[in-house]
Amino acid sequence: MFGAAVTSGVERVSTALWITAGFGALTALLGAWAWLRLVRSSPKLQETLAVAPDGTPLAAIETVAPEEAP
């Protein structure tokens, strides 16, 4: 919404599109950063979501490749 407000005075549509996309990408990165900080700081959330402190699913970590038989 902020990106659209900033681009309201821009005459070229392509410029407005790039500015709006840039604001969207920045918002997505900030949201992902905030989510990872929340997951890392909350053991209860880690347990509920079954993830490691870095956000990796425990199922991916615990999966062990079968050993080859001699």
Side-chain angles (χ1 to χ4, degrees):
M1 187 157 106
F2 184 69
V6 169
T7 60
S8 64
V10 177
E11 292 182 19
R12 294 188 62 187
V13 175
S14 61
T15 304
L17 175 69
W18 283 110
I19 293 172
T20 303
F23 275 109
L26 181 63
T27 303
L29 288 173
L30 288 174
W33 173 77
W35 174 251
L36 284 176
R37 280 186 56 101
L38 180 65
V39 168
R40 288 178 181 155
S41 66
S42 173
K44 175 90 171 142
L45 187 58
Q46 292 172 15
E47 180 184 347
T48 302
L49 297 175
V51 296
D54 66 348
T56 307
L58 293 178
I61 296 172
E62 295 171 354
T63 303
V64 178
E67 295 181 21
E68 295 180 20

